[in-house]
Amino acid sequence: MADKDKVTSSSIVFAVDTSGSMSSIISTAIQQTRDFVGTYVGPESWQYKVGLIDFGGSAEITQTITQDRRTILSGLQYLLDNGNGSGAED
């Protein structure tokens, strides 16, 4: 494998705006994040660690950095269930 083809480990934090102004697109943003997690995180591809931050009214850590796909997906489901655009606008 050439040096340019080597995969290095990365940590990515998704900050999801769940405030009222985002209510019409929250589910799309979460689905796109799920797609990323399904493709790049998990036993087959350990190169990424992912964390989640909800900033609907104030920033809150929803999920600390992890490589566990199920844990990340659970955090995304939490955002979808609880981040319905009802957060306060700053």
Side-chain angles (χ1 to χ4, degrees), residues 64-78:
T64 57
I65 299 262
T66 182
Q67 292 176 315
D68 186 304
R69 181 184 290 164
R70 285 185 299 186
T71 300
I72 299 164
L73 294 175
S74 176
L76 288 168
Q77 187 61 47
Y78 173 83

Side-chain angles (χ1 to χ4, degrees), residues 9-14 36 40-41 45-51 64-68 72:
S9 177
S10 297
S11 295
I12 299 170
V13 176
F14 288 98
F36 176 89
Y40 296 108
V41 178
S45 56
W46 288 102
Q47 67 266 31
Y48 291 102
K49 295 178 184 177
V50 174
T64 57
I65 299 262
T66 182
Q67 292 176 315
D68 186 304
I72 299 164

Side-chain angles (χ1 to χ4, degrees), residues 17-87:
D17 183 349
T18 58
S19 67
S21 64
M22 300 302 289
S23 62
S24 65
I25 62 168
I26 288 172
S27 61
T28 300
I30 289 174
Q31 185 57 51
Q32 290 173 341
T33 306
R34 279 186 183 138
D35 293 346
F36 176 89
V37 169
T39 302
Y40 296 108
V41 178
E44 322 65 63
S45 56
W46 288 102
Q47 67 266 31
Y48 291 102
K49 295 178 184 177
V50 174
L52 301 171
I53 294 177
D54 173 6
F55 65 98
S58 61
E60 290 185 30
I61 297 171
T62 302
Q63 179 54 58
T64 57
I65 299 262
T66 182
Q67 292 176 315
D68 186 304
R69 181 184 290 164
R70 285 185 299 186
T71 300
I72 299 164
L73 294 175
S74 176
L76 288 168
Q77 187 61 47
Y78 173 83
L79 287 177
L80 186 60
D81 293 343
N82 298 290
N84 57 8
S86 60

